[in-house]
Amino acid sequence: MKPRQDWAEFKARVREWAGRLNVTVGAVYIRPMRHKWASCSTAGTLSFNEELIGLDGEIGDYVIVHELLHLVVPNQGKLWRSLMPAHLGDYAAVEGRLADAAQMQAR
């Protein structure tokens, strides 16, 4: 996949995934985040790291789905881990690419 073109496209992708997962999303924010890629609140507010714009769209989808599933399952336990591959396939491979991107950006 190619990198996201802009934040409007990214936010549209968040809304698209929210529809697929049947979750309600409040506000979606894009902001600098030093130590994580995204966060979500119990009210459905999502914040995404502005550095996601330069990454592959598949990585963006991983981060989006990861956070949206937390609106249904608040932890990363067995249920959450079973839902990730149901929606993303081999999410562990994408997770590894995200870790590699984090290391590259830390340099």
Side-chain angles (χ1 to χ4, degrees), residues 21-54:
L21 298 173
N22 197 29
V23 296
T24 302
V25 173
V28 177
Y29 297 104
I30 310 303
R31 61 188 188 88
M33 299 176 89
R34 295 188 79 135
H35 301 289
K36 54 187 167 180
W37 292 106
S39 66
C40 68
S41 74
T42 55
T45 299
L46 301 169
S47 295
F48 293 94
N49 188 322
E50 66 185 7
E51 293 179 7
L52 286 169
I53 192 67

